[in-house]
Amino acid sequence: MQAINIHSEEFLEDLKQGRQEAFQALFMSFHKPLCFFAARVVRDGEEAEDIVQEVFLSFWKMERESFPNLKTIKTFLYNSVQNRCLNYLRNLEIRDRNYRNLNREELDEDYFLCQQIRAEIVAELFGAIDELPEKSKEIFKKSYIDGQEDKKIAEELGISLNTIKTQKQRAKSFLRVRLGDLFVYVGMFFPGI
């Protein structure tokens, strides 16, 4: 199957027509950043996943003619996730405790904009990580995402410690070039880089 360009007019038309391939392309493009965004708000990964699934389901069931471009779709998705997150927090039995733990300024628009930007940066980072060669990607994920020590990775994969260090260095070099100015954020999400 050919990759669908979500920035094309054909994509928007396919989406309006209810073509499953277009919806899947939209889902693949926005699922991870929306889940990250929701998780930052509700502080529960599984609930965040459920919220995002519900938003995509409601989008699929609705009339999509009123979305003239990708920007309006993206705005709708983020606003829907934001509203469902806030509804979830309001409906929790322990909402009082959660609201006390959240600073009031976190509930304003700037907070949500920051979380959206952060989610998009994370999506870009994970997209770049997925472009790494398989061995580098595996080692990078084990080291920086799972937090495993180099020695343990070397033993687990049956390769030398020097190979681990070389692969990690190659991965960092690739990400530095691939991400450009965004590379400075890598350290925020993957300490030790």
Side-chain angles (χ1 to χ4, degrees):
M1 184 173 95
Q2 187 177 3
I4 296 174
N5 178 1
I6 67 169
H7 299 285
S8 69
E9 289 296 322
E10 293 85 5
F11 164 76
L12 289 172
E13 193 55 41
D14 286 349
L15 198 60
K16 288 176 184 178
Q17 299 288 325
R19 293 203 174 89
Q20 191 170 357
E21 297 83 14
F23 182 76
Q24 185 153 1
L26 181 73
F27 181 86
M28 296 304 289
S29 295
F30 289 104
H31 180 259
K32 281 183 183 177
L34 286 169
C35 285
F36 180 81
F37 173 63
R40 298 288 299 174
V41 177
V42 299
R43 304 180 194 290
D44 179 337
E46 288 180 19
E47 190 60 42
E49 181 86 27
D50 289 345
I51 288 169
V52 171
Q53 295 287 354
E54 289 170 11
V55 168
F56 273 110
L57 184 61
S58 69
F59 180 78
W60 177 250
K61 290 179 179 179
M62 71 188 306
E63 195 61 43
R64 292 173 296 280
E65 292 293 322
S66 61
F67 295 100
N69 55 45
L70 184 61
K71 185 176 181 180
T72 57
I73 294 170
K74 181 178 173 181
T75 300
F76 170 81
L77 292 173
Y78 274 99
N79 285 342
S80 296
V81 168
Q82 175 183 324
N83 290 335
R84 286 181 188 246
C85 287
L86 291 175
N87 288 341
Y88 167 78
L89 290 175
R90 281 188 202 102
N91 293 332
L92 279 176
E93 291 178 24
I94 54 172
R95 70 177 180 257
D96 293 338
R97 184 179 63 174
N98 282 341
Y99 279 167
R100 278 194 304 270
N101 291 339
L102 286 173
N103 294 328
R104 283 292 172 201
E105 57 268 8
E106 285 183 335
L107 296 176
D108 69 12
E109 284 184 35
D110 289 341
Y111 173 75
F112 289 107
L113 178 62
C114 288
Q115 294 311 319
Q116 180 178 347
I117 291 168
R118 204 172 169 163
E120 290 177 8
I121 289 171
V122 166
E124 188 69 27
L125 292 175
F126 277 98
I129 291 167
D130 285 341
E131 293 174 18
L132 288 168
E134 282 306 311
K135 193 55 81 175
S136 290
K137 179 178 13 177
E138 182 180 14
I139 291 168
F140 184 91
K141 285 182 174 182
K142 287 179 180 294
S143 179
Y144 296 112
I145 297 174
D146 299 340
Q148 291 183 17
E149 293 181 15
D150 290 355
K151 185 177 178 183
K152 183 177 180 202
I153 298 169
E155 290 171 4
E156 190 176 306
L157 299 178
I159 55 180
S160 74
L161 193 55
N162 283 338
T163 301
I164 297 295
K165 291 177 181 178
T166 301
Q167 289 292 335
K168 284 172 57 176
Q169 195 56 42
R170 285 182 182 162
K172 287 191 271 188
S173 295
F174 172 83
L175 292 174
R176 187 174 288 111
V177 170
R178 165 64 174 72
L179 294 170
D181 292 340
L182 288 179
F183 186 76
V184 298
Y185 296 104
V186 171
M188 285 174 47
F189 300 104
F190 307 115
I193 288 188

